Amino acid sequence: MVALLMFAAVCCAAPVGNAISAYVALQTGAQDDGGIAEGGSAADIPARMLMAYKKAVQLVGTHVPKCRGMRWPVLAGIAKVESNHATGHGIAANGDIRPRIYGVLLNGSGAGGNTTSFPDTDGGRWDGTAQGERAVGPFQFLPSTWQGVGKDANGDKTADPHNADDAALGAALYLCGNGRDLSKRAQLKAAIYQYNHSSEYVANVLGWIDQYTAAATGPGLGNVSGKVRTVLEMALAQRGVPYSWGGGNASGKSYGICCSPSGKSGANIKGFDCSGLTTYAYAQVGIRLPRTAAAQAGVGRRIPASLGPGALRPGDLVFYAYAPGRDSTIYHVGIYLGGGQMVNAARPGTVIRQDAVDAMSGYAGGARLL
């Protein structure tokens, strides 16, 4: 039991480099992190495409009144994987995308990973060929699927999968089905799986959705300035990046190592663990931290757990221990934001996020470095 506690207390082991192959179905840009996407903010999305996603959210209730939980990050997650938001293509004021976006011809040839032949259904109207079917537009609809979900969203009286507004609304309708509640994770997963029957695809899209969601909902830092503000901004900018056991250093995210006490490997995940994140954020203001959470408790002015979380200030490190009062048992660290919230790289299988201070057990006080 003692050995387990000693190992688990090292929330963050020394990181090592590695590399993994891209998600094979993604044809529009590099991808890594074991199916969990990295980066992700509204700044990645062409303004006209973002407008289309938000417009679709406003319109979807007209067509599927029972649909709940549709929001623009959901559509952005799909479009990122399917077409990289039509990046590299022109998007007109009315939403028309040129040149058109076509997938591979689905004739069972094996090109692009297709092994099933799909007969033509549109005479080439949308996919440019009568020799078979191709996925089309920024959301990569098959013409046969578009027949069932295509709606006119930009008012030109044509439902066009090569139009940003129409395609986004079509995707929203397809994901909503007969009235899903997409605010519930299980139903959101089912909707994405319906879009593409691949668990890897679902994980990839969910990763983007989580990152766009995190980037869209940020805390106010109006009363924080100077180096503290820089630390918090650097940490918050990593929201949505996956947790990687042993991942992260002063330069940024990195591939981790194997294995956590629960047996989870970070070797194929590029991201941060708890103290990798704190190391990176503080390095941006010239403060070098030890690599593990327990060692970081020895830096700066220690804030005893007995004073309670109310003694913390924005920018303070927040510690958690198996035996509060014994710093050798510290297993976790976050960065305090204020208002009872912290930036948290919680555990394997999660992404960096904003959490309540009481989201982790064993509050062990904090440390003030600035």
Side-chain angles (χ1 to χ4, degrees), residues 282 287-290 293-304 315-317 319 327 366-370:
Y282 269 93
I287 296 177
R288 298 191 66 83
L289 292 177
Q296 289 179 3
V299 179
R301 174 191 164 194
R302 195 73 166 88
I303 303 168
D316 289 348
L317 296 179
F319 299 107
D327 283 359
R368 186 162 299 147
L369 281 65
L370 291 170

Side-chain angles (χ1 to χ4, degrees), residues 3-52:
L4 174 61
L5 288 179
M6 290 299 290
F7 183 45
V10 184
C11 149
C12 338
V16 296
N18 200 352
I20 62 173
S21 60
Y23 172 52
V24 295
L26 183 63
Q27 301 178 23
T28 55
Q31 196 69 127
D32 56 14
D33 304 332
I36 303 177
E38 58 178 297
S41 72
D44 300 336
I45 306 171
R48 186 61 183 83
M49 292 300 294
L50 182 58
M51 181 189 302

Side-chain angles (χ1 to χ4, degrees), residues 255-277:
Y255 290 101
I257 61 174
C258 186
C259 283
S260 73
S262 62
K264 303 294 185 181
S265 174
N268 289 335
I269 302 174
K270 191 176 183 182
F272 296 93
D273 63 14
C274 64
S275 59
L277 176 64

Side-chain angles (χ1 to χ4, degrees), residues 106-369:
L106 300 175
N107 58 4
S109 67
N114 88 91
T115 57
T116 303
S117 179
F118 288 79
D120 176 68
T121 62
D122 69 335
R125 179 186 183 190
W126 299 124
D127 63 6
T129 178
Q131 302 305 308
E133 294 278 81
R134 296 195 292 188
V136 299
F139 284 88
Q140 289 291 279
F141 281 105
L142 289 178
S144 56
T145 304
W146 184 250
Q147 290 177 10
V149 298
K151 302 291 181 182
D152 172 29
N154 71 341
D156 66 359
K157 302 188 185 304
T158 299
D160 182 352
H162 297 283
N163 177 272
D165 295 331
D166 296 355
L169 179 57
L173 296 176
Y174 191 71
L175 292 167
C176 280
N178 293 325
R180 288 190 177 97
D181 184 348
L182 301 176
S183 66
K184 296 180 178 178
R185 195 73 166 184
Q187 293 192 40
L188 177 60
K189 286 182 177 180
I192 299 169
Y193 188 81
Q194 175 184 294
Y195 211 99
N196 186 321
H197 293 179
S198 161
S199 58
E200 189 175 9
Y201 178 89
V202 172
N204 193 19
V205 170
L206 282 173
W208 282 112
I209 292 172
D210 289 343
Q211 290 174 76
Y212 287 128
T213 299
T217 57
L221 299 179
N223 296 323
V224 182
S225 61
K227 291 184 177 181
V228 172
R229 186 183 184 95
T230 298
V231 168
L232 296 182
E233 287 179 341
M234 292 300 99
L236 286 166
Q238 308 312 310
R239 288 179 302 173
V241 173
Y243 181 101
S244 174
W245 176 262
N249 52 48
S251 299
K253 59 191 172 185
S254 67
Y255 290 101
I257 61 174
C258 186
C259 283
S260 73
S262 62
K264 303 294 185 181
S265 174
N268 289 335
I269 302 174
K270 191 176 183 182
F272 296 93
D273 63 14
C274 64
S275 59
L277 176 64
T278 55
T279 295
Y280 167 73
Y282 269 93
Q284 308 317 300
V285 295
I287 296 177
R288 298 191 66 83
L289 292 177
R291 186 56 181 81
T292 67
Q296 289 179 3
V299 179
R301 174 191 164 194
R302 195 73 166 88
I303 303 168
S306 59
L307 297 179
L312 297 172
R313 295 179 185 172
D316 289 348
L317 296 179
V318 189
F319 299 107
Y320 300 84
Y322 290 107
R326 293 174 55 196
D327 283 359
S328 62
T329 69
I330 286 175
Y331 72 93
H332 190 74
V333 60
I335 302 177
Y336 189 64
L337 286 169
Q341 299 288 303
M342 65 178 172
V343 187
N344 192 24
R347 60 183 65 86
T350 66
V351 296
I352 295 171
R353 63 200 185 196
Q354 183 177 334
D355 266 337
V357 168
D358 61 6
M360 310 295 292
S361 61
Y363 176 69
R368 186 162 299 147
L369 281 65

Side-chain angles (χ1 to χ4, degrees), residues 19-117:
I20 62 173
S21 60
Y23 172 52
V24 295
L26 183 63
Q27 301 178 23
T28 55
Q31 196 69 127
D32 56 14
D33 304 332
I36 303 177
E38 58 178 297
S41 72
D44 300 336
I45 306 171
R48 186 61 183 83
M49 292 300 294
L50 182 58
M51 181 189 302
Y53 306 156
K54 292 181 177 180
K55 185 176 183 179
V57 172
Q58 295 173 346
L59 294 176
V60 70
T62 302
H63 302 278
V64 188
K66 293 183 179 180
C67 185
R68 298 289 183 270
M70 177 56 68
R71 48 203 172 86
W72 73 258
V74 173
L75 298 175
I78 296 285
K80 177 65 180 180
V81 173
E82 295 293 350
S83 71
N84 197 22
H85 307 298
T87 298
H89 296 255
I91 309 170
N94 71 346
D96 286 344
I97 297 171
R98 299 294 184 271
R100 291 181 167 187
I101 302 172
Y102 296 119
V104 298
L105 182 64
L106 300 175
N107 58 4
S109 67
N114 88 91
T115 57
T116 303
S117 179

